[in-house]
Amino acid sequence: MPWLLVLAVLFAIFAIWKFPSFKAQAELGSAYAARVGCSCRYVQGRSLESCQSDFEPGMEMVSLSEDPATKTVTGSVPLLASRSARFVGASGCLLRPEN
């Protein structure tokens, strides 16, 4: 039983040490997904579901959603990050500033 406690403590230390890296990767992945998804949807005119096939390997946790009224696509990683990109006509899709 003591080895289980030691293993749990080591795992907690590892997770705390690595969490900033996970958060940064989630931010980057959600921003990339929002930009690519917005361009795919509103520049190329494809369905949002087909846009997810354009993701790089390792982006399985990133999901896309859209707001057709504002032509905005949001990429999100559950509980870690969410970023949006908006179609602005001739300029294409631009990431929205973080709040």
Side-chain angles (χ1 to χ4, degrees):
M1 215 41 125
W3 60 271
L4 188 60
L5 181 61
V6 170
L7 186 61
V9 169
L10 289 175
F11 179 76
I13 290 170
F14 176 77
I16 291 168
W17 176 61
K18 281 301 223 174
F19 186 75
S21 173
F22 292 145
K23 176 84 169 142
Q25 289 177 0
E27 287 286 336
L28 182 62
S30 62
Y32 174 82
R35 172 68 175 73
V36 168
C38 179
S39 294
C40 171
R41 178 72 180 106
Y42 294 108
V43 175
Q44 296 177 353
R46 295 169 42 200
S47 72
L48 198 61
E49 292 78 29
S50 75
C51 296
Q52 289 202 250
S53 67
D54 295 344
F55 287 179
E56 296 294 321
M59 294 184 61
E60 292 79 17
M61 290 188 64
V62 181
S63 63
L64 292 177
S65 61
E66 73 174 311
D67 180 2
T70 61
K71 293 188 176 181
T72 301
V73 173
T74 301
S76 59
V77 176
L79 304 174
L80 288 177
S82 179
R83 292 294 306 271
S84 298
R86 184 171 176 237
F87 178 68
V88 290
S91 295
C93 291
L94 302 176
L95 285 172
R96 299 180 70 174
E98 291 185 65
N99 294 334

